[in-house]
Amino acid sequence: MNNLLRIALSVLIVGIVGILFAPFLFTRSGYISFTETGQIGDTIGGITAPITSLVGSVLLFLALRTQVIANKVTQEQIREHKTEEQIKKEVTYVSGLYEYFTKNIQDYETKYFKGHRAIRKVMSLLVKQEKENAHDEDRLYYGTAAELYGILKLGKLFLEQVNKSRMEENDKRYFKELVKHHYDSFIMPYLIKDNSTSKCELCGEMHNGIPFKMVKVIEETIALF
């Protein structure tokens, strides 16, 4: 933009100088004699008109070029503004999703416990159940186990949205650390494989009583940290 302004100013100065001195130069060189031409005003106009037209054309081109550049800058600013607004919306959405996730944890309850204590209690009971219960997917469709399964899937959804968002990496790490705290404190201690020598009679593998679908969701969520 500054280069175009300098060029325009240079063309304007050269044009003014040319308009002022062209009649003098042409008459002094003998190309034109006012005694042999028409009215002096028409003569001077005829001499300077080409220079004036050329200067005007160059200035018009530079003005249009400047306008094109200005339009591009404006469009880029609009795009940047839209991107910033979109990122703000994504942060608001992620924040709302985290609040919903924590509210589900706070509202989760069993007969005697609520919140994180209820999660620990249910996870402990699932671990202690017979290994065959891990194969029973129906238990994830009713009762407290189903509710906990829903909370775990919500945690996975939250981290997926965090990773997809265009928010700053510091903000992403902040949200991930918040969720990681929940999992490290109330979920992961119960995900440890059964250390006994007994194997599952159905699959022959070493595992505890936590349903496989629940374990899979937990492992997929951990991979998102």
Side-chain angles (χ1 to χ4, degrees):
M1 184 74 73
N2 290 333
N3 289 334
L4 289 177
L5 290 176
R6 284 195 291 269
I7 293 172
L9 183 60
S10 300
V11 171
L12 183 60
I13 293 173
V14 171
I16 293 174
V17 172
I19 292 171
L20 292 176
F21 287 93
F24 174 77
L25 293 176
F26 280 110
T27 55
R28 292 288 293 177
S29 62
Y31 286 112
I32 298 174
S33 175
F34 287 130
T35 60
E36 299 175 0
T37 60
Q39 295 183 4
I40 188 171
D42 295 336
T43 303
I44 294 175
I47 295 172
T48 59
I51 301 175
T52 304
S53 299
L54 179 61
V55 171
S57 298
V58 173
L59 292 177
L60 178 60
F61 169 77
L62 293 174
L64 293 175
R65 179 62 178 167
T66 303
Q67 185 62 47
V68 169
I69 295 175
N71 290 340
K72 288 183 179 179
V73 172
T74 301
Q75 291 174 358
E76 183 63 27
Q77 291 175 341
I78 292 174
R79 281 195 294 269
E80 290 178 356
H81 178 71
K82 287 183 178 180
T83 300
E84 291 176 358
E85 290 297 319
Q86 186 62 35
I87 293 175
K88 288 180 181 179
K89 289 181 180 179
E90 290 177 2
V91 172
T92 301
Y93 170 72
V94 168
S95 299
L97 191 58
Y98 178 74
E99 291 179 3
Y100 183 64
F101 171 68
T102 54
K103 186 177 186 304
N104 274 263
I105 293 176
Q106 294 168 359
D107 295 342
Y108 181 69
E109 60 182 331
T110 60
K111 187 176 182 180
Y112 299 107
F113 302 99
K114 189 174 182 179
H116 290 124
R117 296 182 64 189
I119 292 177
R120 283 198 296 261
K121 183 64 177 178
V122 172
M123 291 295 294
S124 177
L125 291 174
L126 290 173
V127 169
K128 294 176 182 178
Q129 289 179 346
E130 297 293 332
K131 296 177 184 294
E132 289 80 0
N133 290 323
H135 295 270
D136 184 12
E137 295 181 357
D138 290 340
R139 65 190 300 102
L140 295 180
Y141 297 104
Y142 60 88
T144 54
E147 293 179 27
L148 178 56
Y149 183 52
I151 292 174
L152 294 174
K153 289 195 295 184
L154 183 59
K156 177 186 173 184
L157 172 64
F158 171 75
L159 290 178
E160 288 174 342
Q161 295 303 313
V162 169
N163 287 335
K164 286 195 305 183
S165 70
R166 289 171 292 179
M167 69 176 69
E168 294 184 1
E169 290 301 320
N170 289 337
D171 294 330
K172 288 185 178 183
R173 282 196 297 270
Y174 169 74
F175 282 117
K176 287 181 180 181
E177 287 298 325
L178 290 177
V179 178
K180 191 173 185 297
H181 167 71
H182 292 291
Y183 280 75
D184 287 345
S185 302
F186 312 109
I187 302 297
M188 294 305 299
Y190 302 98
L191 200 63
I192 300 174
K193 302 294 184 181
D194 192 346
N195 293 324
S196 67
T197 57
S198 62
K199 294 183 178 181
C200 175
E201 296 180 359
L202 295 179
C203 64
E205 299 293 333
M206 301 289 293
H207 61 80
N208 52 35
I210 301 177
F212 292 151
K213 272 193 172 183
M214 184 177 289
V215 173
K216 182 180 179 181
V217 170
I218 295 173
E219 291 176 342
E220 290 174 345
T221 302
I222 294 172
L224 296 172
F225 286 125

